Amino acid sequence: MEVPGSSKPMIATQEEMVEARVPIPYRDQCAHLLIPLNKCRHAEFFLPWKCENERHVYEKCEYELVMERMLQMQKIREAEAKLKQSHKQGTIPLIPKTANA
């Protein structure tokens, strides 16, 4: 399953996420990494020094998604600014510029 606008594919299926009881806000392209992380957390009683590798891999995936969204938003803003600038150059000013003003 492909998510529009993202370079990462969805690996975990809806059935797997429901079975693993992944909360809806966390069902993104990194959910396939969250499932084993949560299993490890439950097995290790949520000790912070356990499951470090799984947590690092999951957080890196989330970071890459955030950076990808930021780059997409930056491109959208640049395109809007470019469009606004091109529209601004073609308009007639309300107050004409005079030679003495």
Side-chain angles (χ1 to χ4, degrees):
M1 183 166 47
E2 194 69 31
V3 177
S6 179
S7 64
K8 291 183 180 243
M10 282 292 292
I11 297 174
T13 63
Q14 286 291 339
E15 293 81 22
E16 291 172 340
M17 290 186 276
V18 168
E19 182 181 317
R21 298 187 348 216
V22 175
I24 291 175
Y26 294 94
R27 294 182 186 183
D28 56 6
Q29 290 91 339
C30 299
H32 68 285
L33 300 171
L34 182 61
I35 294 169
L37 172 60
N38 283 341
K39 286 181 182 176
C40 178
R41 285 174 171 169
H42 285 288
E44 300 294 338
F45 301 106
F46 289 87
L47 293 173
W49 57 89
K50 301 285 184 168
C51 310
E52 288 180 345
N53 187 41
E54 291 90 345
R55 189 180 78 233
H56 174 73
V57 171
Y58 173 72
E59 288 177 353
K60 182 180 179 195
C61 180
E62 286 291 333
Y63 172 78
E64 289 171 352
L65 282 178
V66 168
M67 294 305 293
E68 187 175 311
R69 286 193 302 264
M70 286 176 58
L71 286 174
Q72 287 175 350
M73 194 62 207
Q74 182 180 3
K75 288 179 184 176
I76 290 170
R77 285 187 181 130
E78 288 173 356
E80 287 176 351
K82 194 176 199 180
L83 184 65
K84 188 176 180 181
Q85 187 69 16
S86 66
H87 283 317
K88 193 174 185 179
Q89 289 177 355
T91 60
I92 300 172
L94 297 175
I95 302 173
K97 295 182 180 179
T98 60
N100 297 331

